[in-house]
Short mmCIF file of all heavy atoms in Angstrom, two decimals:
data_model
loop_
_atom_site.label_atom_id
_atom_site.label_comp_id
_atom_site.label_asym_id
_atom_site.label_seq_id
_atom_site.Cartn_x
_atom_site.Cartn_y
_atom_site.Cartn_z
N SER A 53 20.40 0.12 0.89
CA SER A 53 21.79 -0.30 0.68
C SER A 53 22.33 -0.91 1.98
O SER A 53 22.05 -0.39 3.08
CB SER A 53 22.67 0.85 0.18
OG SER A 53 22.31 2.04 0.80
N GLU A 54 23.06 -1.99 1.82
CA GLU A 54 23.52 -2.74 2.99
C GLU A 54 24.59 -1.95 3.75
O GLU A 54 25.41 -1.27 3.14
CB GLU A 54 24.10 -4.09 2.51
CG GLU A 54 24.17 -5.09 3.63
CD GLU A 54 24.62 -6.46 3.13
OE1 GLU A 54 24.19 -6.89 2.03
OE2 GLU A 54 25.42 -7.08 3.85
N THR A 55 24.56 -2.04 5.08
CA THR A 55 25.62 -1.46 5.91
C THR A 55 26.22 -2.60 6.74
O THR A 55 25.69 -3.72 6.75
CB THR A 55 25.07 -0.39 6.88
OG1 THR A 55 24.24 -1.04 7.87
CG2 THR A 55 24.26 0.67 6.18
N SER A 56 27.28 -2.29 7.47
CA SER A 56 27.94 -3.36 8.23
C SER A 56 27.15 -3.75 9.47
O SER A 56 27.44 -4.74 10.12
CB SER A 56 29.35 -2.94 8.60
OG SER A 56 29.27 -1.70 9.26
N GLY A 57 26.12 -3.00 9.83
CA GLY A 57 25.34 -3.38 11.01
C GLY A 57 24.30 -2.35 11.42
O GLY A 57 23.27 -2.69 11.98
N ALA A 58 24.54 -1.08 11.08
CA ALA A 58 23.60 -0.03 11.51
C ALA A 58 22.32 -0.08 10.68
O ALA A 58 22.34 -0.47 9.51
CB ALA A 58 24.25 1.33 11.34
N ILE A 59 21.19 0.31 11.31
CA ILE A 59 19.93 0.50 10.57
C ILE A 59 19.64 1.99 10.58
O ILE A 59 19.45 2.60 11.64
CB ILE A 59 18.78 -0.30 11.21
CG1 ILE A 59 19.05 -1.80 11.05
CG2 ILE A 59 17.44 0.07 10.58
CD1 ILE A 59 18.02 -2.72 11.67
N GLU A 60 19.66 2.61 9.38
CA GLU A 60 19.48 4.07 9.26
C GLU A 60 18.32 4.36 8.34
O GLU A 60 18.21 3.73 7.28
CB GLU A 60 20.68 4.71 8.55
CG GLU A 60 21.97 4.72 9.26
CD GLU A 60 23.04 5.16 8.25
OE1 GLU A 60 22.78 6.04 7.40
OE2 GLU A 60 24.13 4.59 8.31
N ILE A 61 17.48 5.32 8.71
CA ILE A 61 16.36 5.73 7.85
C ILE A 61 16.56 7.20 7.47
O ILE A 61 16.89 8.03 8.34
CB ILE A 61 15.00 5.63 8.58
CG1 ILE A 61 14.88 4.34 9.40
CG2 ILE A 61 13.83 5.81 7.63
CD1 ILE A 61 14.45 3.13 8.68
N HIS A 62 16.36 7.52 6.20
CA HIS A 62 16.38 8.91 5.73
C HIS A 62 15.12 9.13 4.91
O HIS A 62 14.73 8.25 4.16
CB HIS A 62 17.62 9.17 4.85
CG HIS A 62 18.90 8.90 5.58
ND1 HIS A 62 19.59 9.88 6.25
CD2 HIS A 62 19.58 7.75 5.77
CE1 HIS A 62 20.67 9.34 6.82
NE2 HIS A 62 20.68 8.04 6.54
N CYS A 63 14.50 10.33 5.08
CA CYS A 63 13.26 10.59 4.33
C CYS A 63 13.25 12.03 3.86
O CYS A 63 13.71 12.93 4.58
CB CYS A 63 12.05 10.31 5.23
SG CYS A 63 10.47 10.50 4.36
N ASP A 64 12.73 12.25 2.62
CA ASP A 64 12.72 13.61 2.07
C ASP A 64 11.58 14.46 2.64
O ASP A 64 11.46 15.63 2.32
CB ASP A 64 12.64 13.56 0.53
CG ASP A 64 11.34 12.94 0.02
OD1 ASP A 64 10.58 12.36 0.83
OD2 ASP A 64 11.09 13.03 -1.19
#
Side-chain angles (χ1 to χ4, degrees):
S53 38
E54 199 175 320
T55 69
S56 53
I59 293 178
E60 291 170 38
I61 317 276
H62 301 267
C63 184
D64 64 349

